[in-house]
Amino acid sequence: MMSRTALDLWVGIFVAIGFAALVFLAMKVGSFSGINGSESYRVEAAFDNIGGLKVRAPVKSAGVLIGRVQGIRFDTDSYRAVVQLDIDKRFEFPADTSASILTSGLLGEQYVGLEAGADVEPLKEGDRLMITQSAVVLEKLIGQFLFDKAAEPAAQ
Amino acid sequence: MNGLFAGLAAGLRHVGKLTIDGIWRLGFATRFMFAVLLASGQSLTRIHLTIRELYFSGVLSLLIITVSGLFVGLVLGLQGYDILQRYGSADAVGVMVALSLLRELGPVIAALLFASRAGSAITAEIGLMKTTEQLKAMDMMAVNPIARVVAPRFWGGVLSMPLLAALFSAMGVFGGWLITVVVIGVDDGAFWSQMQAAVEFDYDVLNGIIKSMVFGTVVSLIAVFEGYDCEPTAEGVSRAITRTVVTSALAILALDFVLTSFMFRG
């Protein structure tokens, strides 16, 4: 009987260490994103071009993470990309908030940046953001630059 | 000419025999799996049997898992720092170490170590019991050997595998922190904050745990089956142990590819 309690002690230590490692991984290594389906509201925004935006990309306002991209689909009526954004319930935005697709750093991932407007009405579930700015496409930027260069001598 | 045909026929016969044997074994393994699952109710009501196996496959694997995790973390930290500092982003070494451990190396290496440390022991034990006709004796005393011997070992392995994988990953992150922050001098705050920003619990950590659960189930099943199915001789037991380690390693690596392609498609 004595040996069995010693065995139980070791198994208890093993299970405790295993769960401690799990808690460490959950709390210290990863952070609970804290943004789950139940605590968020969903709004839509249509963009001419979303560049390299991916599902689950961050939604930020003033650099702070406030939500995630839930889905991206192509609207065949307007030929634009419709991006669904899940925004944390704690953060309320005016109805005329604008969305733009930005890049973190020079080579970083793309995210959706929200800029608050001045409307007194708050954004509600299912609303659509009216003012959007597309992702910067490098080819278009270079094309524009070359076009401007070519136009310069003619102006003089 | 006749000799050539005879040789060809013999070769074909051999291939056919191997194929039929393989399929036969697969069928028996499937039936065995259902027998274990059906008999496991009994092993969970007599929990002390499972606790005993948890000790043998879990507690006794603690040392090798801890030490290996630490060394893998140390190596990941060194290599990650060496590569990332070329691009001026040495701060991201924490992200690299944590993600590669949680998603792949933690579950896979822990499962490989578990298969060679605990899986081989399970096969040897059950195989020797079969060789010395203990399983047959149990059957004669109306004790179901699958419920009494096999199911507790199976569940001991299934339960201890996720805990061991989590411990491996945690030790690896600690090792990576030790070499990059303490020894090389990467900023402590940047190491943890970048890691926490990039690693998500319900994506990276949870998928790693699911992987280790799958690996634990597969390795335990292979180990008990090879032991139960072994040829009841000294040579047969040794061959069964080899098969456990080889089959487990192949199953782990192949399943890891399948699981990764489902989980992390971006």
Side-chain angles (χ1 to χ4, degrees):
Chain A
M1 215 53 197
M2 199 59 213
S3 67
R4 180 146 300 155
T5 52
L7 199 84
D8 287 346
L9 175 70
W10 282 109
V11 172
I13 290 171
F14 166 63
V15 174
I17 290 176
F19 275 105
L22 272 181
V23 170
F24 169 77
L25 292 179
M27 296 298 168
K28 185 83 182 168
V29 175
S31 51
F32 279 106
S33 48
I35 298 165
N36 297 323
S38 57
E39 320 164 348
S40 64
Y41 60 98
R42 180 169 302 176
V43 297
E44 284 186 343
F47 294 93
D48 291 333
N49 192 330
I50 58 165
L53 190 74
K54 297 253 166 46
V55 174
R56 299 174 53 77
V59 178
K60 293 180 180 180
S61 187
V64 180
L65 181 72
I66 54 160
R68 292 216 172 263
V69 172
Q70 180 57 39
I72 298 170
R73 62 186 173 81
F74 186 66
D75 184 12
T76 44
D77 293 332
S78 62
Y79 299 107
R80 301 174 87 196
V82 177
V83 177
Q84 293 159 338
L85 311 171
D86 272 3
I87 302 173
D88 197 313
K89 271 244 158 64
R90 287 174 296 171
F91 306 115
E92 269 199 357
F93 280 88
D96 61 344
T97 295
S98 65
S100 43
I101 295 178
L102 306 167
T103 309
S104 57
L106 199 59
L107 299 166
E109 54 171 359
Q110 291 195 299
Y111 65 95
V112 178
L114 294 188
E115 205 152 315
D119 207 318
V120 283
E121 285 287 308
L123 267 183
K124 292 185 300 291
E125 168 89 30
D127 277 0
R128 178 169 281 210
L129 301 178
M130 284 323 201
I131 313 162
T132 61
Q133 192 189 338
S134 293
V136 175
V137 178
L138 207 59
E139 287 88 338
K140 279 189 183 171
L141 209 65
I142 294 171
Q144 185 83 41
F145 176 74
L146 290 177
F147 186 76
D148 289 352
K149 273 282 177 212
E152 253 172 31
Q156 278 171 357
Chain B
M1 208 59 190
N2 244 342
L4 182 70
F5 276 124
L8 219 72
L12 271 177
R13 252 203 308 277
H14 188 62
V15 171
K17 184 182 182 305
L18 282 183
T19 314
I20 291 175
D21 271 358
I23 293 173
W24 204 332
R25 256 172 73 82
L26 189 68
F28 182 50
T30 313
R31 194 159 63 87
F32 182 76
M33 183 182 81
F34 281 111
V36 170
L37 290 180
L38 282 178
S40 51
Q42 214 174 329
S43 82
L44 292 181
T45 48
R46 294 168 70 189
I47 196 74
H48 66 269
L49 290 174
T50 311
I51 296 274
R52 213 179 90 90
E53 297 313 321
L54 212 54
Y55 174 81
F56 282 120
S57 53
V59 178
L60 296 183
S61 304
L62 271 181
L63 190 67
I64 187 170
I65 290 287
T66 316
V67 175
S68 316
L70 190 69
F71 278 116
V72 168
L74 291 173
V75 169
L76 273 180
L78 274 179
Q79 292 282 14
Y81 178 79
D82 180 52
I83 293 165
L84 289 172
Q85 56 100 17
R86 293 183 201 174
Y87 303 101
S89 48
D91 288 345
V93 69
V95 180
M96 203 210 83
V97 170
L99 282 184
S100 41
L101 275 166
L102 287 171
R103 289 180 168 193
E104 297 296 337
L105 293 178
V108 170
I109 300 187
L112 290 175
L113 289 172
F114 181 78
S116 31
R117 166 71 189 72
S120 59
I122 290 172
T123 306
E125 205 180 0
I126 297 179
L128 200 66
M129 279 183 174
K130 186 180 181 186
T131 309
T132 52
E133 300 192 325
Q134 294 180 44
L135 296 182
K136 223 174 254 175
M138 268 182 201
D139 226 1
M140 246 164 232
M141 292 186 290
V143 177
N144 183 359
I146 290 188
R148 179 68 175 75
V149 173
V150 174
R153 281 166 180 75
F154 172 71
W155 284 107
V158 170
L159 294 176
S160 54
M161 190 57 235
L163 298 176
L164 290 173
L167 181 67
F168 188 95
S169 296
M171 284 310 293
V173 170
F174 173 69
W177 173 81
L178 206 66
I179 199 82
T180 54
V181 174
V182 178
V183 178
I184 296 176
V186 172
D187 184 59
D188 191 29
F191 182 89
W192 290 113
S193 66
Q194 292 224 5
M195 188 192 291
Q196 283 165 6
V199 178
E200 275 174 61
F201 181 78
D202 48 5
Y203 188 58
D204 303 308
V205 181
L206 220 57
N207 277 340
I209 295 173
I210 292 172
K211 269 189 181 180
S212 63
M213 283 174 170
V214 173
F215 295 161
T217 312
V218 169
V219 171
S220 307
L221 198 63
I222 289 174
V224 290
F225 175 71
E226 291 292 356
Y228 197 82
D229 189 49
C230 82
E231 212 177 299
T233 57
E235 197 196 346
V237 174
S238 87
R239 232 185 292 150
I241 296 168
T242 312
R243 266 210 305 269
T244 294
V245 177
V246 172
T247 318
S248 300
L250 286 177
I252 289 163
L253 295 172
L255 270 175
D256 183 51
F257 168 70
V258 174
L259 289 175
T260 301
S261 61
F262 275 118
M263 289 169 171
F264 303 105
R265 289 217 112 146

